[in-house]
Amino acid sequence: MSQTVQAARIHAYGGPEVLQFEDVQLEAPGQGEVLVRNKVLGLNFVDVYYRRGTFPVAALPAILGNEAAGVVEAIGPGVTSVAVGDRVAYSDDINGSYATARLYAADRLVAIPAGVSDEQAATVLLKGLTARYLLKEMLPLKAGDTVLYHAAAGGVGQIVARWGKAMGLKVIGTVSSDAKAAAARAAGCSDVINYRTENFVERVMEITAGRGVRAVFDSVGRDTFKGSLQALAIRGMLVVFGKASGDLPNLNPFELAPKALQLAWPILPHYVATREQLAAAAADLFDAVARGMVDATPARVYPFEQLVQAHRDLEQRRTVGSAVLVL
Protein backbone atom coordinates (compact mmCIF):
# COMPACT_ATOMS: atom_id res chain seq x y z
CA MET A 1 0.00 0.00 0.00
CA SER A 2 1.41 3.42 -0.94
CA GLN A 3 1.62 6.32 1.47
CA THR A 4 2.30 10.04 1.33
CA VAL A 5 5.56 11.31 2.82
CA GLN A 6 7.11 14.76 2.98
CA ALA A 7 10.33 15.24 1.06
CA ALA A 8 12.68 18.05 0.06
CA ARG A 9 13.14 17.95 -3.73
CA ILE A 10 14.91 19.97 -6.37
CA HIS A 11 13.39 20.60 -9.81
CA ALA A 12 16.49 22.38 -11.11
CA TYR A 13 20.09 22.85 -10.03
CA GLY A 14 20.99 26.00 -8.12
CA GLY A 15 21.34 27.62 -4.71
CA PRO A 16 19.77 26.46 -1.44
CA GLU A 17 16.46 28.04 -2.45
CA VAL A 18 15.86 25.31 -5.07
CA LEU A 19 15.11 22.86 -2.22
CA GLN A 20 11.32 22.61 -1.98
CA PHE A 21 9.23 20.69 0.57
CA GLU A 22 6.60 18.59 -1.19
CA ASP A 23 4.36 15.59 -0.60
CA VAL A 24 5.41 12.52 -2.58
CA GLN A 25 3.98 9.01 -2.90
CA LEU A 26 5.96 6.12 -1.51
CA GLU A 27 5.14 2.58 -2.60
CA ALA A 28 5.26 -0.51 -0.40
CA PRO A 29 8.71 -2.14 -0.15
CA GLY A 30 9.53 -4.57 -2.94
CA GLN A 31 11.81 -7.60 -3.13
CA GLY A 32 14.79 -7.11 -0.81
CA GLU A 33 13.63 -3.65 0.26
CA VAL A 34 12.55 -2.13 3.56
CA LEU A 35 10.64 1.00 4.47
CA VAL A 36 12.77 3.13 6.79
CA ARG A 37 11.10 5.85 8.85
CA ASN A 38 13.87 8.45 9.03
CA LYS A 39 14.55 10.03 12.42
CA VAL A 40 17.79 11.98 11.90
CA LEU A 41 19.38 13.02 8.59
CA GLY A 42 23.07 13.53 8.03
CA LEU A 43 24.16 16.77 6.37
CA ASN A 44 27.18 16.50 4.08
CA PHE A 45 28.95 18.77 1.62
CA VAL A 46 28.36 16.23 -1.13
CA ASP A 47 24.68 17.25 -0.87
CA VAL A 48 25.75 20.71 -2.04
CA TYR A 49 27.53 19.17 -5.04
CA TYR A 50 24.32 17.40 -6.07
CA ARG A 51 22.17 20.49 -5.48
CA ARG A 52 24.46 22.66 -7.60
CA GLY A 53 24.73 20.05 -10.34
CA THR A 54 28.48 19.59 -9.81
CA PHE A 55 27.51 15.94 -9.47
CA PRO A 56 24.44 15.27 -11.64
CA VAL A 57 21.41 13.49 -10.22
CA ALA A 58 19.84 10.60 -12.12
CA ALA A 59 16.75 12.63 -13.02
CA LEU A 60 14.85 15.74 -11.97
CA PRO A 61 12.91 16.31 -9.79
CA ALA A 62 15.15 14.63 -7.22
CA ILE A 63 15.16 14.07 -3.48
CA LEU A 64 18.67 14.81 -2.20
CA GLY A 65 20.53 13.49 0.86
CA ASN A 66 22.28 10.14 1.25
CA GLU A 67 22.58 9.53 5.00
CA ALA A 68 20.12 8.94 7.81
CA ALA A 69 19.25 6.95 10.88
CA GLY A 70 15.80 5.62 11.53
CA VAL A 71 13.65 2.60 12.24
CA VAL A 72 12.45 -0.22 9.98
CA GLU A 73 8.71 0.21 9.53
CA ALA A 74 7.97 -2.47 6.93
CA ILE A 75 9.90 -5.17 5.06
CA GLY A 76 9.51 -6.52 1.57
CA PRO A 77 9.63 -10.09 0.28
CA GLY A 78 12.88 -11.97 0.85
CA VAL A 79 14.19 -9.71 3.62
CA THR A 80 15.77 -11.63 6.51
CA SER A 81 18.67 -9.37 7.58
CA VAL A 82 16.48 -6.84 9.44
CA ALA A 83 13.10 -6.85 11.13
CA VAL A 84 10.36 -4.33 11.78
CA GLY A 85 11.39 -2.13 14.70
CA ASP A 86 15.15 -2.42 14.14
CA ARG A 87 17.18 0.75 14.44
CA VAL A 88 19.26 1.21 11.30
CA ALA A 89 21.43 3.70 9.48
CA TYR A 90 22.56 4.07 5.88
CA SER A 91 25.02 6.23 3.97
CA ASP A 92 25.42 4.93 0.41
CA ASP A 93 25.84 7.42 -2.42
CA ILE A 94 22.15 7.08 -3.27
CA ASN A 95 20.08 10.24 -2.99
CA GLY A 96 16.70 10.21 -1.28
CA SER A 97 17.18 10.67 2.47
CA TYR A 98 15.71 14.20 2.62
CA ALA A 99 12.30 12.71 3.41
CA THR A 100 10.27 11.52 6.37
CA ALA A 101 10.54 7.95 5.05
CA ARG A 102 12.11 6.07 2.16
CA LEU A 103 12.64 2.66 0.61
CA TYR A 104 16.11 1.15 0.93
CA ALA A 105 17.88 -2.09 0.06
CA ALA A 106 17.94 -4.22 3.21
CA ASP A 107 21.48 -5.48 2.61
CA ARG A 108 22.84 -1.91 2.59
CA LEU A 109 21.53 -1.05 6.05
CA VAL A 110 23.74 -0.93 9.14
CA ALA A 111 22.37 -1.94 12.52
CA ILE A 112 22.77 0.79 15.13
CA PRO A 113 24.27 -0.85 18.23
CA ALA A 114 22.93 -0.29 21.72
CA GLY A 115 24.49 2.75 23.31
CA VAL A 116 24.68 4.68 20.03
CA SER A 117 21.88 7.21 19.52
CA ASP A 118 20.15 7.99 16.23
CA GLU A 119 21.83 11.42 16.25
CA GLN A 120 25.25 9.85 16.73
CA ALA A 121 24.68 7.29 13.97
CA ALA A 122 23.50 9.90 11.46
CA THR A 123 26.37 12.17 12.48
CA VAL A 124 29.17 9.68 12.14
CA LEU A 125 28.36 6.98 9.59
CA LEU A 126 29.23 8.61 6.26
CA LYS A 127 31.96 10.86 7.63
CA GLY A 128 33.36 8.07 9.80
CA LEU A 129 33.46 5.52 7.00
CA THR A 130 35.20 8.15 4.86
CA ALA A 131 37.74 8.87 7.60
CA ARG A 132 38.29 5.15 8.02
CA TYR A 133 39.24 4.44 4.42
CA LEU A 134 41.49 7.52 4.37
CA LEU A 135 43.37 6.36 7.46
CA LYS A 136 43.29 2.60 7.00
CA GLU A 137 42.80 1.73 3.33
CA MET A 138 44.77 4.20 1.22
CA LEU A 139 48.34 3.55 2.35
CA PRO A 140 50.06 1.72 5.22
CA LEU A 141 50.24 4.43 7.87
CA LYS A 142 52.02 3.57 11.11
CA ALA A 143 52.48 5.20 14.48
CA GLY A 144 54.83 8.16 14.19
CA ASP A 145 53.84 9.09 10.63
CA THR A 146 52.83 12.69 9.94
CA VAL A 147 49.89 13.54 7.69
CA LEU A 148 48.25 16.77 6.54
CA TYR A 149 44.48 17.25 6.44
CA HIS A 150 42.88 20.26 4.75
CA ALA A 151 39.72 21.77 6.28
CA ALA A 152 40.48 20.04 9.56
CA ALA A 153 37.60 21.66 11.46
CA GLY A 154 35.01 19.93 9.28
CA GLY A 155 33.15 16.76 10.16
CA VAL A 156 35.52 14.30 8.45
CA GLY A 157 38.54 16.35 9.46
CA GLN A 158 37.76 16.19 13.17
CA ILE A 159 37.23 12.43 12.97
CA VAL A 160 40.53 11.98 11.10
CA ALA A 161 42.33 14.13 13.68
CA ARG A 162 40.96 12.25 16.69
CA TRP A 163 41.15 8.76 15.20
CA GLY A 164 44.55 9.43 13.67
CA LYS A 165 45.92 10.60 17.01
CA ALA A 166 44.59 7.43 18.65
CA MET A 167 46.48 5.45 15.98
CA GLY A 168 49.70 7.26 16.90
CA LEU A 169 49.76 9.56 13.90
CA LYS A 170 50.72 13.23 13.95
CA VAL A 171 47.94 15.12 12.16
CA ILE A 172 48.61 18.63 10.87
CA GLY A 173 45.43 20.50 9.99
CA THR A 174 44.68 23.54 7.87
CA VAL A 175 41.76 25.87 8.62
CA SER A 176 40.44 29.28 7.57
CA SER A 177 39.82 31.01 10.92
CA ASP A 178 40.93 31.16 14.54
CA ALA A 179 37.65 29.57 15.68
CA LYS A 180 38.19 26.63 13.34
CA ALA A 181 41.80 26.37 14.49
CA ALA A 182 40.60 25.92 18.06
CA ALA A 183 38.17 23.20 16.95
CA ALA A 184 40.91 21.38 15.02
CA ARG A 185 43.27 21.47 18.00
CA ALA A 186 40.53 20.22 20.32
CA ALA A 187 39.92 17.32 17.92
CA GLY A 188 43.53 16.22 18.13
CA CYS A 189 45.58 18.05 15.50
CA SER A 190 49.18 18.40 16.68
CA ASP A 191 49.66 21.58 14.62
CA VAL A 192 47.13 23.85 12.94
CA ILE A 193 47.82 26.21 10.03
CA ASN A 194 45.54 29.11 9.09
CA TYR A 195 45.95 29.08 5.32
CA ARG A 196 44.49 32.60 5.04
CA THR A 197 47.40 34.10 6.97
CA GLU A 198 50.16 31.49 6.52
CA ASN A 199 51.74 29.62 3.61
CA PHE A 200 50.79 26.06 4.47
CA VAL A 201 53.62 24.50 2.44
CA GLU A 202 56.26 26.56 4.24
CA ARG A 203 54.70 25.79 7.62
CA VAL A 204 54.52 22.06 6.89
CA MET A 205 58.19 22.04 5.99
CA GLU A 206 59.02 23.91 9.20
CA ILE A 207 56.99 21.48 11.31
CA THR A 208 58.53 18.41 9.63
CA ALA A 209 62.12 19.77 9.52
CA GLY A 210 61.99 19.85 5.73
CA ARG A 211 60.89 16.24 5.23
CA GLY A 212 57.26 16.81 4.28
CA VAL A 213 54.32 14.61 5.23
CA ARG A 214 53.56 10.95 4.50
CA ALA A 215 50.11 11.78 3.13
CA VAL A 216 47.87 14.75 2.38
CA PHE A 217 44.10 14.33 2.57
CA ASP A 218 42.55 17.04 0.41
CA SER A 219 38.85 17.69 -0.22
CA VAL A 220 39.39 21.37 -1.09
CA GLY A 221 40.67 20.81 -4.62
CA ARG A 222 41.85 23.61 -6.87
CA ASP A 223 43.10 26.04 -4.21
CA THR A 224 45.27 23.50 -2.39
CA PHE A 225 46.21 20.91 -5.02
CA LYS A 226 49.63 22.16 -6.13
CA GLY A 227 50.67 23.06 -2.60
CA SER A 228 49.58 19.66 -1.35
CA LEU A 229 51.98 17.98 -3.77
CA GLN A 230 54.79 20.26 -2.60
CA ALA A 231 54.10 19.40 1.05
CA LEU A 232 54.60 15.66 0.54
CA ALA A 233 57.66 13.70 1.58
CA ILE A 234 59.47 11.40 -0.81
CA ARG A 235 57.11 8.55 -1.82
CA GLY A 236 54.22 10.43 -0.20
CA MET A 237 50.61 10.15 -1.34
CA LEU A 238 48.14 12.93 -2.15
CA VAL A 239 44.62 11.65 -1.57
CA VAL A 240 42.08 13.96 -3.20
CA PHE A 241 38.48 13.18 -2.28
CA GLY A 242 36.63 16.41 -3.08
CA LYS A 243 36.83 19.73 -4.88
CA ALA A 244 35.06 22.29 -2.72
CA SER A 245 37.08 25.15 -4.29
CA GLY A 246 36.66 23.96 -7.89
CA ASP A 247 38.14 21.61 -10.46
CA LEU A 248 41.77 20.61 -10.12
CA PRO A 249 44.39 22.13 -12.46
CA ASN A 250 45.88 19.95 -15.16
CA LEU A 251 48.79 17.79 -14.03
CA ASN A 252 51.51 16.18 -16.10
CA PRO A 253 52.22 12.85 -14.38
CA PHE A 254 55.93 13.56 -14.80
CA GLU A 255 55.55 16.22 -12.07
CA LEU A 256 55.19 13.35 -9.59
CA ALA A 257 58.51 11.80 -10.54
CA PRO A 258 61.09 13.94 -8.65
CA LYS A 259 59.79 12.66 -5.28
CA ALA A 260 58.14 9.44 -6.57
CA LEU A 261 54.76 10.73 -5.42
CA GLN A 262 51.45 8.92 -5.60
CA LEU A 263 48.11 10.55 -6.45
CA ALA A 264 44.72 8.98 -5.73
CA TRP A 265 41.08 10.01 -5.94
CA PRO A 266 39.14 7.34 -4.01
CA ILE A 267 35.40 7.24 -3.44
CA LEU A 268 33.73 5.51 -0.51
CA PRO A 269 31.44 3.12 -2.48
CA HIS A 270 34.45 1.10 -3.66
CA TYR A 271 35.53 0.49 -0.04
CA VAL A 272 32.11 -0.72 1.20
CA ALA A 273 30.97 -2.37 -2.03
CA THR A 274 29.84 -5.65 -0.49
CA ARG A 275 27.66 -6.24 2.53
CA GLU A 276 30.63 -7.88 4.24
CA GLN A 277 32.87 -4.85 3.61
CA LEU A 278 30.15 -2.48 4.81
CA ALA A 279 29.45 -4.49 7.96
CA ALA A 280 33.15 -4.78 8.85
CA ALA A 281 33.84 -1.09 8.26
CA ALA A 282 30.76 0.00 10.25
CA ALA A 283 31.67 -2.35 13.12
CA ASP A 284 35.18 -0.90 13.23
CA LEU A 285 33.77 2.62 13.22
CA PHE A 286 31.19 2.02 15.95
CA ASP A 287 33.88 0.28 18.02
CA ALA A 288 36.03 3.40 17.70
CA VAL A 289 33.05 5.48 18.84
CA ALA A 290 32.49 3.20 21.84
CA ARG A 291 36.18 3.42 22.80
CA GLY A 292 36.21 7.22 22.55
CA MET A 293 38.53 7.26 19.52
CA VAL A 294 35.83 8.99 17.46
CA ASP A 295 33.47 11.70 18.71
CA ALA A 296 30.01 11.18 17.19
CA THR A 297 28.33 14.17 18.85
CA PRO A 298 26.79 16.56 16.28
CA ALA A 299 28.06 20.12 16.54
CA ARG A 300 24.85 21.55 15.09
CA VAL A 301 21.29 20.21 15.06
CA TYR A 302 18.65 21.69 12.73
CA PRO A 303 14.95 20.88 12.47
CA PHE A 304 14.21 19.33 9.06
CA GLU A 305 12.17 22.44 8.24
CA GLN A 306 15.39 24.51 8.36
CA LEU A 307 17.07 22.50 5.57
CA VAL A 308 17.50 25.53 3.30
CA GLN A 309 19.25 27.48 6.05
CA ALA A 310 21.37 24.46 6.87
CA HIS A 311 22.53 24.33 3.24
CA ARG A 312 23.35 28.03 3.32
CA ASP A 313 25.44 27.55 6.45
CA LEU A 314 27.19 24.53 4.94
CA GLU A 315 27.95 26.23 1.64
CA GLN A 316 29.21 29.41 3.30
CA ARG A 317 31.42 27.36 5.66
CA ARG A 318 29.65 28.56 8.78
CA THR A 319 29.48 25.04 10.18
CA VAL A 320 32.25 23.67 12.39
CA GLY A 321 32.16 19.91 12.78
CA SER A 322 29.17 17.74 11.85
CA ALA A 323 25.55 18.83 11.51
CA VAL A 324 22.31 16.85 11.38
CA LEU A 325 18.63 17.45 10.72
CA VAL A 326 15.99 15.99 13.03
CA LEU A 327 12.49 15.05 11.97
Side-chain angles (χ1 to χ4, degrees), residues 8-262:
R9 298 202 293 183
I10 63 169
H11 292 258
Y13 299 122
E17 66 280 356
V18 300
L19 290 160
Q20 300 178 28
F21 287 96
E22 300 172 342
D23 288 337
V24 298
Q25 289 298 117
L26 195 63
E27 299 301 319
Q31 182 73 31
E33 289 185 325
V34 303
L35 173 65
V36 179
R37 179 65 56 180
N38 291 328
K39 299 296 185 181
V40 186
L41 311 180
L43 186 65
N44 300 288
F45 204 89
V46 71
D47 303 345
V48 173
Y49 290 150
Y50 281 113
R51 195 203 69 228
R52 291 174 178 168
T54 305
F55 295 164
V57 297
L60 292 169
I63 302 171
L64 299 186
N66 60 12
E67 179 177 33
V71 62
V72 175
E73 196 166 271
I75 62 174
V79 173
T80 59
S81 57
V82 295
V84 172
D86 284 354
R87 295 170 60 238
V88 294
Y90 58 85
S91 66
D92 287 316
D93 191 15
I94 302 171
N95 282 309
S97 69
Y98 286 179
T100 53
R102 74 173 298 181
L103 299 176
Y104 213 81
D107 65 358
R108 299 304 298 173
L109 294 171
V110 171
I112 303 175
V116 176
S117 70
D118 292 343
E119 282 192 1
Q120 288 176 313
T123 297
V124 80
L125 188 58
L126 178 59
K127 297 178 182 69
L129 291 178
T130 299
R132 184 187 178 278
Y133 83 71
L134 293 176
L135 290 169
K136 297 190 174 187
E137 302 271 8
M138 295 309 304
L139 72 167
L141 293 170
K142 63 183 184 303
D145 284 343
T146 302
V147 300
L148 174 67
Y149 190 98
H150 289 300
V156 177
Q158 292 195 35
I159 295 173
V160 167
R162 192 178 302 276
W163 205 347
K165 182 179 180 180
M167 292 169 56
L169 304 178
K170 182 177 181 179
V171 182
I172 303 171
T174 70
V175 296
S176 60
S177 70
D178 291 342
K180 291 183 176 181
R185 287 193 187 91
C189 284
S190 59
D191 298 272
V192 180
I193 303 166
N194 186 332
Y195 62 80
R196 294 192 185 280
T197 59
E198 300 176 282
N199 182 306
F200 77 83
V201 177
E202 292 178 357
R203 287 285 296 119
V204 164
M205 290 304 173
E206 290 174 6
I207 294 166
T208 62
R211 291 185 298 272
V213 295
R214 181 77 178 85
V216 176
F217 302 117
D218 189 346
S219 64
V220 176
R222 182 182 59 203
D223 292 351
T224 52
F225 180 68
K226 291 291 188 178
S228 292
L229 288 171
Q230 295 169 21
L232 285 167
I234 291 173
R235 296 177 60 185
M237 176 182 283
L238 170 54
V239 183
V240 181
F241 63 106
K243 52 177 184 176
S245 65
D247 291 334
L248 273 59
N250 292 331
L251 174 73
N252 183 335
F254 183 73
E255 295 179 48
L256 305 176
K259 291 197 290 185
L261 302 179
Q262 300 175 69

